Amino acid sequence: MSEKRKMIIDCDPGTDDSVCILMALTHPDVELLGITTESGNLTADKTAANALRILEYMDRGDIPVAQGMMHPMLREYPKDPYSHGEDGLGNHFFPEPKLKISEKSPAQMIVDAVLENPGEVTLVCTSCLTNVAVAFMSRPEIIPLIKEIYHIGGAYGITEYAFRNATGDNPMSEWNIFVDPEAARIVYESDVKLTSIGLDIAFNPEAVNISEETLEKLRGIGNRQAKYALEIIDYIDGNNSIEEEGIFINGPIDTTAMCCFLNPEIMTDVREIHVAIDCGGPLTRGMTIWDRRDHFRWEHLPKIRTVFAVDGEKYQETFYQALGGT
């Protein structure tokens, strides 16, 4: 058997992020080195506490959790319009965690893991990128030593779902970029190997809705992670699925990034594109601007890899298997 793949989750649990943590904890081919939390869906004190709650739920106190800053790099924390419940975990109301936060900062946790395992650590980022940007600014020598970053981020206009379901607080942005576009710009312009999964894919119901067949299979597993995932899916379906507004996603959308990491064959079309991140005015702050012109294209804009299409059946199969299915 091959060695396990080393990863850090940079996240803001959050309903969908919490399912990503479960998948990383239980997948047989993954070694979760740590969890770094952001101020995204909730402020970092709450997201760190929720990460600890999930670890306690799974009896995995061996995984360190580092708490990030209480705000983005250059502005106040904006409130997420998406509903994660009163507790951020779909109203599970777990008790206060007994596990403690790591003494390391998120940036230090990332730097140490990469330097100790050069070329082996993947970051699966399901939130804004404040922690990663701080790590890159403090120790830029780690950038070429990172194996890869998978980031749920951006809205590119590849499919109609990108801007119909824009999640940032303006018509053109996605939440994870909108929260801290300055941090996203640092990471996206760093030349790190980055694969972005935008709303074009993560909010495409044809690709990432969890089918009734998969739900029934999950019910048959009977373990605690499948039980929790089903409860989160039920919460999302009941609280964030607004069909008349074009939002009808029952899947925890951040798991798209986790599934792409676990099984890259899910990504059936990945392309390099030139992208700039707008850090400016209220209408477009956090917009991922893809220069797709045939003529006069700005070749100096940074290049990233972006997912244009996924195999929906493979996504669901990977989602099921990561929660204990066979």
mmCIF file with all atom_site columns, all heavy atoms in Angstrom, residues 204-230:
data_model
loop_
_atom_site.group_PDB
_atom_site.id
_atom_site.type_symbol
_atom_site.label_atom_id
_atom_site.label_alt_id
_atom_site.label_comp_id
_atom_site.label_asym_id
_atom_site.label_entity_id
_atom_site.label_seq_id
_atom_site.pdbx_PDB_ins_code
_atom_site.Cartn_x
_atom_site.Cartn_y
_atom_site.Cartn_z
_atom_site.occupancy
_atom_site.B_iso_or_equiv
_atom_site.pdbx_formal_charge
_atom_site.auth_seq_id
_atom_site.auth_comp_id
_atom_site.auth_asym_id
_atom_site.auth_atom_id
_atom_site.pdbx_PDB_model_num
ATOM 1   N N   . ASN A 1 204 ? -23.213 23.801 -9.000  1.00 0.00 ? 204 ASN A N   1
ATOM 2   C CA  . ASN A 1 204 ? -23.872 23.195 -10.166 1.00 0.00 ? 204 ASN A CA  1
ATOM 3   C C   . ASN A 1 204 ? -24.665 21.983 -9.696  1.00 0.00 ? 204 ASN A C   1
ATOM 4   O O   . ASN A 1 204 ? -24.089 20.944 -9.361  1.00 0.00 ? 204 ASN A O   1
ATOM 5   C CB  . ASN A 1 204 ? -22.812 22.773 -11.193 1.00 0.00 ? 204 ASN A CB  1
ATOM 6   C CG  . ASN A 1 204 ? -23.420 22.183 -12.448 1.00 0.00 ? 204 ASN A CG  1
ATOM 7   O OD1 . ASN A 1 204 ? -24.611 21.845 -12.478 1.00 0.00 ? 204 ASN A OD1 1
ATOM 8   N ND2 . ASN A 1 204 ? -22.618 22.050 -13.483 1.00 0.00 ? 204 ASN A ND2 1
ATOM 9   N N   . PRO A 1 205 ? -25.994 22.073 -9.630  1.00 0.00 ? 205 PRO A N   1
ATOM 10  C CA  . PRO A 1 205 ? -26.785 20.956 -9.096  1.00 0.00 ? 205 PRO A CA  1
ATOM 11  C C   . PRO A 1 205 ? -26.643 19.685 -9.901  1.00 0.00 ? 205 PRO A C   1
ATOM 12  O O   . PRO A 1 205 ? -26.808 18.578 -9.358  1.00 0.00 ? 205 PRO A O   1
ATOM 13  C CB  . PRO A 1 205 ? -28.218 21.499 -9.122  1.00 0.00 ? 205 PRO A CB  1
ATOM 14  C CG  . PRO A 1 205 ? -28.202 22.584 -10.148 1.00 0.00 ? 205 PRO A CG  1
ATOM 15  C CD  . PRO A 1 205 ? -26.838 23.192 -10.086 1.00 0.00 ? 205 PRO A CD  1
ATOM 16  N N   . GLU A 1 206 ? -26.323 19.808 -11.182 1.00 0.00 ? 206 GLU A N   1
ATOM 17  C CA  . GLU A 1 206 ? -26.157 18.615 -11.999 1.00 0.00 ? 206 GLU A CA  1
ATOM 18  C C   . GLU A 1 206 ? -24.892 17.843 -11.621 1.00 0.00 ? 206 GLU A C   1
ATOM 19  O O   . GLU A 1 206 ? -24.765 16.656 -11.913 1.00 0.00 ? 206 GLU A O   1
ATOM 20  C CB  . GLU A 1 206 ? -26.098 19.013 -13.480 1.00 0.00 ? 206 GLU A CB  1
ATOM 21  C CG  . GLU A 1 206 ? -27.367 19.700 -13.975 1.00 0.00 ? 206 GLU A CG  1
ATOM 22  C CD  . GLU A 1 206 ? -27.170 20.322 -15.350 1.00 0.00 ? 206 GLU A CD  1
ATOM 23  O OE1 . GLU A 1 206 ? -26.122 20.067 -15.971 1.00 0.00 ? 206 GLU A OE1 1
ATOM 24  O OE2 . GLU A 1 206 ? -28.055 21.068 -15.788 1.00 0.00 ? 206 GLU A OE2 1
ATOM 25  N N   . ALA A 1 207 ? -23.965 18.530 -10.961 1.00 0.00 ? 207 ALA A N   1
ATOM 26  C CA  . ALA A 1 207 ? -22.691 17.901 -10.621 1.00 0.00 ? 207 ALA A CA  1
ATOM 27  C C   . ALA A 1 207 ? -22.609 17.471 -9.166  1.00 0.00 ? 207 ALA A C   1
ATOM 28  O O   . ALA A 1 207 ? -22.076 16.407 -8.860  1.00 0.00 ? 207 ALA A O   1
ATOM 29  C CB  . ALA A 1 207 ? -21.540 18.862 -10.944 1.00 0.00 ? 207 ALA A CB  1
ATOM 30  N N   . VAL A 1 208 ? -23.122 18.307 -8.242  1.00 0.00 ? 208 VAL A N   1
ATOM 31  C CA  . VAL A 1 208 ? -22.807 18.076 -6.829  1.00 0.00 ? 208 VAL A CA  1
ATOM 32  C C   . VAL A 1 208 ? -24.016 17.860 -5.924  1.00 0.00 ? 208 VAL A C   1
ATOM 33  O O   . VAL A 1 208 ? -23.845 17.705 -4.717  1.00 0.00 ? 208 VAL A O   1
ATOM 34  C CB  . VAL A 1 208 ? -21.949 19.231 -6.268  1.00 0.00 ? 208 VAL A CB  1
ATOM 35  C CG1 . VAL A 1 208 ? -20.638 19.347 -7.028  1.00 0.00 ? 208 VAL A CG1 1
ATOM 36  C CG2 . VAL A 1 208 ? -22.692 20.557 -6.299  1.00 0.00 ? 208 VAL A CG2 1
ATOM 37  N N   . ASN A 1 209 ? -25.233 17.848 -6.462  1.00 0.00 ? 209 ASN A N   1
ATOM 38  C CA  . ASN A 1 209 ? -26.350 17.448 -5.614  1.00 0.00 ? 209 ASN A CA  1
ATOM 39  C C   . ASN A 1 209 ? -26.184 15.983 -5.222  1.00 0.00 ? 209 ASN A C   1
ATOM 40  O O   . ASN A 1 209 ? -25.830 15.141 -6.048  1.00 0.00 ? 209 ASN A O   1
ATOM 41  C CB  . ASN A 1 209 ? -27.678 17.642 -6.339  1.00 0.00 ? 209 ASN A CB  1
ATOM 42  C CG  . ASN A 1 209 ? -28.370 18.926 -5.937  1.00 0.00 ? 209 ASN A CG  1
ATOM 43  O OD1 . ASN A 1 209 ? -27.790 19.773 -5.269  1.00 0.00 ? 209 ASN A OD1 1
ATOM 44  N ND2 . ASN A 1 209 ? -29.614 19.081 -6.350  1.00 0.00 ? 209 ASN A ND2 1
ATOM 45  N N   . ILE A 1 210 ? -26.441 15.676 -3.962  1.00 0.00 ? 210 ILE A N   1
ATOM 46  C CA  . ILE A 1 210 ? -26.353 14.303 -3.488  1.00 0.00 ? 210 ILE A CA  1
ATOM 47  C C   . ILE A 1 210 ? -27.665 13.599 -3.836  1.00 0.00 ? 210 ILE A C   1
ATOM 48  O O   . ILE A 1 210 ? -28.740 14.013 -3.391  1.00 0.00 ? 210 ILE A O   1
ATOM 49  C CB  . ILE A 1 210 ? -26.095 14.245 -1.970  1.00 0.00 ? 210 ILE A CB  1
ATOM 50  C CG1 . ILE A 1 210 ? -24.874 15.096 -1.605  1.00 0.00 ? 210 ILE A CG1 1
ATOM 51  C CG2 . ILE A 1 210 ? -25.903 12.801 -1.523  1.00 0.00 ? 210 ILE A CG2 1
ATOM 52  C CD1 . ILE A 1 210 ? -23.584 14.655 -2.250  1.00 0.00 ? 210 ILE A CD1 1
ATOM 53  N N   . SER A 1 211 ? -27.574 12.541 -4.613  1.00 0.00 ? 211 SER A N   1
ATOM 54  C CA  . SER A 1 211 ? -28.768 11.862 -5.113  1.00 0.00 ? 211 SER A CA  1
ATOM 55  C C   . SER A 1 211 ? -29.439 11.061 -3.997  1.00 0.00 ? 211 SER A C   1
ATOM 56  O O   . SER A 1 211 ? -28.834 10.713 -2.982  1.00 0.00 ? 211 SER A O   1
ATOM 57  C CB  . SER A 1 211 ? -28.400 10.916 -6.257  1.00 0.00 ? 211 SER A CB  1
ATOM 58  O OG  . SER A 1 211 ? -27.634 9.822  -5.770  1.00 0.00 ? 211 SER A OG  1
ATOM 59  N N   . GLU A 1 212 ? -30.698 10.743 -4.207  1.00 0.00 ? 212 GLU A N   1
ATOM 60  C CA  . GLU A 1 212 ? -31.423 9.923  -3.234  1.00 0.00 ? 212 GLU A CA  1
ATOM 61  C C   . GLU A 1 212 ? -30.777 8.541  -3.101  1.00 0.00 ? 212 GLU A C   1
ATOM 62  O O   . GLU A 1 212 ? -30.752 7.969  -2.003  1.00 0.00 ? 212 GLU A O   1
ATOM 63  C CB  . GLU A 1 212 ? -32.895 9.789  -3.657  1.00 0.00 ? 212 GLU A CB  1
ATOM 64  C CG  . GLU A 1 212 ? -33.754 9.053  -2.643  1.00 0.00 ? 212 GLU A CG  1
ATOM 65  C CD  . GLU A 1 212 ? -33.688 9.657  -1.243  1.00 0.00 ? 212 GLU A CD  1
ATOM 66  O OE1 . GLU A 1 212 ? -33.757 10.897 -1.129  1.00 0.00 ? 212 GLU A OE1 1
ATOM 67  O OE2 . GLU A 1 212 ? -33.564 8.888  -0.263  1.00 0.00 ? 212 GLU A OE2 1
ATOM 68  N N   . GLU A 1 213 ? -30.245 8.026  -4.197  1.00 0.00 ? 213 GLU A N   1
ATOM 69  C CA  . GLU A 1 213 ? -29.555 6.729  -4.133  1.00 0.00 ? 213 GLU A CA  1
ATOM 70  C C   . GLU A 1 213 ? -28.339 6.794  -3.208  1.00 0.00 ? 213 GLU A C   1
ATOM 71  O O   . GLU A 1 213 ? -28.120 5.901  -2.378  1.00 0.00 ? 213 GLU A O   1
ATOM 72  C CB  . GLU A 1 213 ? -29.108 6.313  -5.536  1.00 0.00 ? 213 GLU A CB  1
ATOM 73  C CG  . GLU A 1 213 ? -28.355 4.985  -5.572  1.00 0.00 ? 213 GLU A CG  1
ATOM 74  C CD  . GLU A 1 213 ? -27.852 4.644  -6.955  1.00 0.00 ? 213 GLU A CD  1
ATOM 75  O OE1 . GLU A 1 213 ? -28.114 5.416  -7.909  1.00 0.00 ? 213 GLU A OE1 1
ATOM 76  O OE2 . GLU A 1 213 ? -27.180 3.605  -7.090  1.00 0.00 ? 213 GLU A OE2 1
ATOM 77  N N   . THR A 1 214 ? -27.551 7.884  -3.334  1.00 0.00 ? 214 THR A N   1
ATOM 78  C CA  . THR A 1 214 ? -26.386 8.042  -2.468  1.00 0.00 ? 214 THR A CA  1
ATOM 79  C C   . THR A 1 214 ? -26.812 8.254  -1.023  1.00 0.00 ? 214 THR A C   1
ATOM 80  O O   . THR A 1 214 ? -26.190 7.715  -0.088  1.00 0.00 ? 214 THR A O   1
ATOM 81  C CB  . THR A 1 214 ? -25.520 9.222  -2.941  1.00 0.00 ? 214 THR A CB  1
ATOM 82  O OG1 . THR A 1 214 ? -25.093 8.973  -4.288  1.00 0.00 ? 214 THR A OG1 1
ATOM 83  C CG2 . THR A 1 214 ? -24.294 9.397  -2.050  1.00 0.00 ? 214 THR A CG2 1
ATOM 84  N N   . LEU A 1 215 ? -27.868 9.034  -0.801  1.00 0.00 ? 215 LEU A N   1
ATOM 85  C CA  . LEU A 1 215 ? -28.364 9.244  0.554   1.00 0.00 ? 215 LEU A CA  1
ATOM 86  C C   . LEU A 1 215 ? -28.779 7.920  1.191   1.00 0.00 ? 215 LEU A C   1
ATOM 87  O O   . LEU A 1 215 ? -28.497 7.658  2.366   1.00 0.00 ? 215 LEU A O   1
ATOM 88  C CB  . LEU A 1 215 ? -29.543 10.215 0.537   1.00 0.00 ? 215 LEU A CB  1
ATOM 89  C CG  . LEU A 1 215 ? -29.233 11.664 0.165   1.00 0.00 ? 215 LEU A CG  1
ATOM 90  C CD1 . LEU A 1 215 ? -30.523 12.479 0.032   1.00 0.00 ? 215 LEU A CD1 1
ATOM 91  C CD2 . LEU A 1 215 ? -28.311 12.314 1.187   1.00 0.00 ? 215 LEU A CD2 1
ATOM 92  N N   . GLU A 1 216 ? -29.439 7.083  0.419   1.00 0.00 ? 216 GLU A N   1
ATOM 93  C CA  . GLU A 1 216 ? -29.866 5.783  0.949   1.00 0.00 ? 216 GLU A CA  1
ATOM 94  C C   . GLU A 1 216 ? -28.656 4.913  1.284   1.00 0.00 ? 216 GLU A C   1
ATOM 95  O O   . GLU A 1 216 ? -28.645 4.219  2.312   1.00 0.00 ? 216 GLU A O   1
ATOM 96  C CB  . GLU A 1 216 ? -30.774 5.082  -0.068  1.00 0.00 ? 216 GLU A CB  1
ATOM 97  C CG  . GLU A 1 216 ? -31.502 3.861  0.467   1.00 0.00 ? 216 GLU A CG  1
ATOM 98  C CD  . GLU A 1 216 ? -32.394 4.182  1.659   1.00 0.00 ? 216 GLU A CD  1
ATOM 99  O OE1 . GLU A 1 216 ? -32.999 5.274  1.682   1.00 0.00 ? 216 GLU A OE1 1
ATOM 100 O OE2 . GLU A 1 216 ? -32.470 3.331  2.576   1.00 0.00 ? 216 GLU A OE2 1
ATOM 101 N N   . LYS A 1 217 ? -27.638 4.958  0.439   1.00 0.00 ? 217 LYS A N   1
ATOM 102 C CA  . LYS A 1 217 ? -26.412 4.206  0.730   1.00 0.00 ? 217 LYS A CA  1
ATOM 103 C C   . LYS A 1 217 ? -25.735 4.721  1.993   1.00 0.00 ? 217 LYS A C   1
ATOM 104 O O   . LYS A 1 217 ? -25.224 3.938  2.808   1.00 0.00 ? 217 LYS A O   1
ATOM 105 C CB  . LYS A 1 217 ? -25.462 4.282  -0.466  1.00 0.00 ? 217 LYS A CB  1
ATOM 106 C CG  . LYS A 1 217 ? -25.920 3.477  -1.672  1.00 0.00 ? 217 LYS A CG  1
ATOM 107 C CD  . LYS A 1 217 ? -25.130 3.843  -2.919  1.00 0.00 ? 217 LYS A CD  1
ATOM 108 C CE  . LYS A 1 217 ? -23.661 3.517  -2.802  1.00 0.00 ? 217 LYS A CE  1
ATOM 109 N NZ  . LYS A 1 217 ? -22.923 3.872  -4.048  1.00 0.00 ? 217 LYS A NZ  1
ATOM 110 N N   . LEU A 1 218 ? -25.731 6.042  2.185   1.00 0.00 ? 218 LEU A N   1
ATOM 111 C CA  . LEU A 1 218 ? -25.144 6.623  3.391   1.00 0.00 ? 218 LEU A CA  1
ATOM 112 C C   . LEU A 1 218 ? -25.924 6.188  4.628   1.00 0.00 ? 218 LEU A C   1
ATOM 113 O O   . LEU A 1 218 ? -25.325 5.913  5.684   1.00 0.00 ? 218 LEU A O   1
ATOM 114 C CB  . LEU A 1 218 ? -25.132 8.151  3.292   1.00 0.00 ? 218 LEU A CB  1
ATOM 115 C CG  . LEU A 1 218 ? -24.090 8.772  2.359   1.00 0.00 ? 218 LEU A CG  1
ATOM 116 C CD1 . LEU A 1 218 ? -24.373 10.259 2.157   1.00 0.00 ? 218 LEU A CD1 1
ATOM 117 C CD2 . LEU A 1 218 ? -22.688 8.576  2.901   1.00 0.00 ? 218 LEU A CD2 1
ATOM 118 N N   . ARG A 1 219 ? -27.242 6.124  4.515   1.00 0.00 ? 219 ARG A N   1
ATOM 119 C CA  . ARG A 1 219 ? -28.042 5.673  5.658   1.00 0.00 ? 219 ARG A CA  1
ATOM 120 C C   . ARG A 1 219 ? -27.693 4.246  6.043   1.00 0.00 ? 219 ARG A C   1
ATOM 121 O O   . ARG A 1 219 ? -27.772 3.863  7.217   1.00 0.00 ? 219 ARG A O   1
ATOM 122 C CB  . ARG A 1 219 ? -29.537 5.774  5.326   1.00 0.00 ? 219 ARG A CB  1
ATOM 123 C CG  . ARG A 1 219 ? -30.027 7.201  5.122   1.00 0.00 ? 219 ARG A CG  1
ATOM 124 C CD  . ARG A 1 219 ? -31.523 7.258  4.872   1.00 0.00 ? 219 ARG A CD  1
ATOM 125 N NE  . ARG A 1 219 ? -31.924 8.598  4.441   1.00 0.00 ? 219 ARG A NE  1
ATOM 126 C CZ  . ARG A 1 219 ? -32.317 8.905  3.207   1.00 0.00 ? 219 ARG A CZ  1
ATOM 127 N NH1 . ARG A 1 219 ? -32.384 7.964  2.269   1.00 0.00 ? 219 ARG A NH1 1
ATOM 128 N NH2 . ARG A 1 219 ? -32.641 10.154 2.903   1.00 0.00 ? 219 ARG A NH2 1
ATOM 129 N N   . GLY A 1 220 ? -27.281 3.463  5.054   1.00 0.00 ? 220 GLY A N   1
ATOM 130 C CA  . GLY A 1 220 ? -26.950 2.067  5.320   1.00 0.00 ? 220 GLY A CA  1
ATOM 131 C C   . GLY A 1 220 ? -25.595 1.860  5.960   1.00 0.00 ? 220 GLY A C   1
ATOM 132 O O   . GLY A 1 220 ? -25.314 0.767  6.474   1.00 0.00 ? 220 GLY A O   1
ATOM 133 N N   . ILE A 1 221 ? -24.733 2.880  5.960   1.00 0.00 ? 221 ILE A N   1
ATOM 134 C CA  . ILE A 1 221 ? -23.400 2.718  6.560   1.00 0.00 ? 221 ILE A CA  1
ATOM 135 C C   . ILE A 1 221 ? -23.511 2.605  8.071   1.00 0.00 ? 221 ILE A C   1
ATOM 136 O O   . ILE A 1 221 ? -22.925 1.714  8.697   1.00 0.00 ? 221 ILE A O   1
ATOM 137 C CB  . ILE A 1 221 ? -22.480 3.903  6.189   1.00 0.00 ? 221 ILE A CB  1
ATOM 138 C CG1 . ILE A 1 221 ? -22.235 3.935  4.683   1.00 0.00 ? 221 ILE A CG1 1
ATOM 139 C CG2 . ILE A 1 221 ? -21.148 3.782  6.926   1.00 0.00 ? 221 ILE A CG2 1
ATOM 140 C CD1 . ILE A 1 221 ? -21.411 5.134  4.235   1.00 0.00 ? 221 ILE A CD1 1
ATOM 141 N N   . GLY A 1 222 ? -24.229 3.542  8.681   1.00 0.00 ? 222 GLY A N   1
ATOM 142 C CA  . GLY A 1 222 ? -24.488 3.446  10.110  1.00 0.00 ? 222 GLY A CA  1
ATOM 143 C C   . GLY A 1 222 ? -23.385 3.962  11.017  1.00 0.00 ? 222 GLY A C   1
ATOM 144 O O   . GLY A 1 222 ? -23.520 3.883  12.241  1.00 0.00 ? 222 GLY A O   1
ATOM 145 N N   . ASN A 1 223 ? -22.281 4.492  10.466  1.00 0.00 ? 223 ASN A N   1
ATOM 146 C CA  . ASN A 1 223 ? -21.225 5.018  11.346  1.00 0.00 ? 223 ASN A CA  1
ATOM 147 C C   . ASN A 1 223 ? -21.517 6.480  11.701  1.00 0.00 ? 223 ASN A C   1
ATOM 148 O O   . ASN A 1 223 ? -22.412 7.112  11.146  1.00 0.00 ? 223 ASN A O   1
ATOM 149 C CB  . ASN A 1 223 ? -19.842 4.857  10.715  1.00 0.00 ? 223 ASN A CB  1
ATOM 150 C CG  . ASN A 1 223 ? -19.676 5.625  9.413   1.00 0.00 ? 223 ASN A CG  1
ATOM 151 O OD1 . ASN A 1 223 ? -20.302 6.658  9.202   1.00 0.00 ? 223 ASN A OD1 1
ATOM 152 N ND2 . ASN A 1 223 ? -18.841 5.116  8.521   1.00 0.00 ? 223 ASN A ND2 1
ATOM 153 N N   . ARG A 1 224 ? -20.732 7.021  12.638  1.00 0.00 ? 224 ARG A N   1
ATOM 154 C CA  . ARG A 1 224 ? -21.037 8.360  13.131  1.00 0.00 ? 224 ARG A CA  1
ATOM 155 C C   . ARG A 1 224 ? -20.790 9.440  12.092  1.00 0.00 ? 224 ARG A C   1
ATOM 156 O O   . ARG A 1 224 ? -21.497 10.454 12.059  1.00 0.00 ? 224 ARG A O   1
ATOM 157 C CB  . ARG A 1 224 ? -20.253 8.649  14.416  1.00 0.00 ? 224 ARG A CB  1
ATOM 158 C CG  . ARG A 1 224 ? -18.754 8.710  14.263  1.00 0.00 ? 224 ARG A CG  1
ATOM 159 C CD  . ARG A 1 224 ? -18.063 9.010  15.590  1.00 0.00 ? 224 ARG A CD  1
ATOM 160 N NE  . ARG A 1 224 ? -18.199 7.894  16.525  1.00 0.00 ? 224 ARG A NE  1
ATOM 161 C CZ  . ARG A 1 224 ? -17.738 7.929  17.777  1.00 0.00 ? 224 ARG A CZ  1
ATOM 162 N NH1 . ARG A 1 224 ? -17.132 9.019  18.241  1.00 0.00 ? 224 ARG A NH1 1
ATOM 163 N NH2 . ARG A 1 224 ? -17.877 6.901  18.566  1.00 0.00 ? 224 ARG A NH2 1
ATOM 164 N N   . GLN A 1 225 ? -19.768 9.239  11.215  1.00 0.00 ? 225 GLN A N   1
ATOM 165 C CA  . GLN A 1 225 ? -19.509 10.280 10.227  1.00 0.00 ? 225 GLN A CA  1
ATOM 166 C C   . GLN A 1 225 ? -20.596 10.337 9.160   1.00 0.00 ? 225 GLN A C   1
ATOM 167 O O   . GLN A 1 225 ? -20.996 11.425 8.721   1.00 0.00 ? 225 GLN A O   1
ATOM 168 C CB  . GLN A 1 225 ? -18.116 10.116 9.594   1.00 0.00 ? 225 GLN A CB  1
ATOM 169 C CG  . GLN A 1 225 ? -17.873 8.826  8.850   1.00 0.00 ? 225 GLN A CG  1
ATOM 170 C CD  . GLN A 1 225 ? -17.193 7.781  9.727   1.00 0.00 ? 225 GLN A CD  1
ATOM 171 O OE1 . GLN A 1 225 ? -17.433 7.731  10.935  1.00 0.00 ? 225 GLN A OE1 1
ATOM 172 N NE2 . GLN A 1 225 ? -16.353 6.955  9.121   1.00 0.00 ? 225 GLN A NE2 1
ATOM 173 N N   . ALA A 1 226 ? -21.113 9.185  8.748   1.00 0.00 ? 226 ALA A N   1
ATOM 174 C CA  . ALA A 1 226 ? -22.207 9.173  7.777   1.00 0.00 ? 226 ALA A CA  1
ATOM 175 C C   . ALA A 1 226 ? -23.475 9.758  8.398   1.00 0.00 ? 226 ALA A C   1
ATOM 176 O O   . ALA A 1 226 ? -24.211 10.517 7.742   1.00 0.00 ? 226 ALA A O   1
ATOM 177 C CB  . ALA A 1 226 ? -22.455 7.761  7.275   1.00 0.00 ? 226 ALA A CB  1
ATOM 178 N N   . LYS A 1 227 ? -23.725 9.422  9.647   1.00 0.00 ? 227 LYS A N   1
ATOM 179 C CA  . LYS A 1 227 ? -24.897 9.959  10.343  1.00 0.00 ? 227 LYS A CA  1
ATOM 180 C C   . LYS A 1 227 ? -24.827 11.491 10.400  1.00 0.00 ? 227 LYS A C   1
ATOM 181 O O   . LYS A 1 227 ? -25.816 12.172 10.109  1.00 0.00 ? 227 LYS A O   1
ATOM 182 C CB  . LYS A 1 227 ? -24.970 9.381  11.757  1.00 0.00 ? 227 LYS A CB  1
ATOM 183 C CG  . LYS A 1 227 ? -26.103 9.927  12.626  1.00 0.00 ? 227 LYS A CG  1
ATOM 184 C CD  . LYS A 1 227 ? -26.087 9.251  13.990  1.00 0.00 ? 227 LYS A CD  1
ATOM 185 C CE  . LYS A 1 227 ? -27.225 9.793  14.877  1.00 0.00 ? 227 LYS A CE  1
ATOM 186 N NZ  . LYS A 1 227 ? -27.057 11.211 15.225  1.00 0.00 ? 227 LYS A NZ  1
ATOM 187 N N   . TYR A 1 228 ? -23.655 12.014 10.765  1.00 0.00 ? 228 TYR A N   1
ATOM 188 C CA  . TYR A 1 228 ? -23.505 13.465 10.852  1.00 0.00 ? 228 TYR A CA  1
ATOM 189 C C   . TYR A 1 228 ? -23.673 14.106 9.476   1.00 0.00 ? 228 TYR A C   1
ATOM 190 O O   . TYR A 1 228 ? -24.365 15.136 9.345   1.00 0.00 ? 228 TYR A O   1
ATOM 191 C CB  . TYR A 1 228 ? -22.138 13.811 11.430  1.00 0.00 ? 228 TYR A CB  1
ATOM 192 C CG  . TYR A 1 228 ? -21.866 15.296 11.504  1.00 0.00 ? 228 TYR A CG  1
ATOM 193 C CD1 . TYR A 1 228 ? -22.301 16.046 12.592  1.00 0.00 ? 228 TYR A CD1 1
ATOM 194 C CD2 . TYR A 1 228 ? -21.182 15.958 10.481  1.00 0.00 ? 228 TYR A CD2 1
ATOM 195 C CE1 . TYR A 1 228 ? -22.064 17.418 12.656  1.00 0.00 ? 228 TYR A CE1 1
ATOM 196 C CE2 . TYR A 1 228 ? -20.946 17.321 10.538  1.00 0.00 ? 228 TYR A CE2 1
ATOM 197 C CZ  . TYR A 1 228 ? -21.385 18.044 11.625  1.00 0.00 ? 228 TYR A CZ  1
ATOM 198 O OH  . TYR A 1 228 ? -21.152 19.394 11.679  1.00 0.00 ? 228 TYR A OH  1
ATOM 199 N N   . ALA A 1 229 ? -23.037 13.535 8.448   1.00 0.00 ? 229 ALA A N   1
ATOM 200 C CA  . ALA A 1 229 ? -23.137 14.093 7.095   1.00 0.00 ? 229 ALA A CA  1
ATOM 201 C C   . ALA A 1 229 ? -24.588 14.133 6.627   1.00 0.00 ? 229 ALA A C   1
ATOM 202 O O   . ALA A 1 229 ? -25.020 15.125 6.015   1.00 0.00 ? 229 ALA A O   1
ATOM 203 C CB  . ALA A 1 229 ? -22.279 13.289 6.127   1.00 0.00 ? 229 ALA A CB  1
ATOM 204 N N   . LEU A 1 230 ? -25.345 13.084 6.918   1.00 0.00 ? 230 LEU A N   1
ATOM 205 C CA  . LEU A 1 230 ? -26.754 13.066 6.536   1.00 0.00 ? 230 LEU A CA  1
ATOM 206 C C   . LEU A 1 230 ? -27.530 14.175 7.241   1.00 0.00 ? 230 LEU A C   1
ATOM 207 O O   . LEU A 1 230 ? -28.395 14.820 6.639   1.00 0.00 ? 230 LEU A O   1
ATOM 208 C CB  . LEU A 1 230 ? -27.368 11.702 6.865   1.00 0.00 ? 230 LEU A CB  1
ATOM 209 C CG  . LEU A 1 230 ? -26.999 10.561 5.916   1.00 0.00 ? 230 LEU A CG  1
ATOM 210 C CD1 . LEU A 1 230 ? -27.346 9.218  6.547   1.00 0.00 ? 230 LEU A CD1 1
ATOM 211 C CD2 . LEU A 1 230 ? -27.720 10.720 4.577   1.00 0.00 ? 230 LEU A CD2 1
#
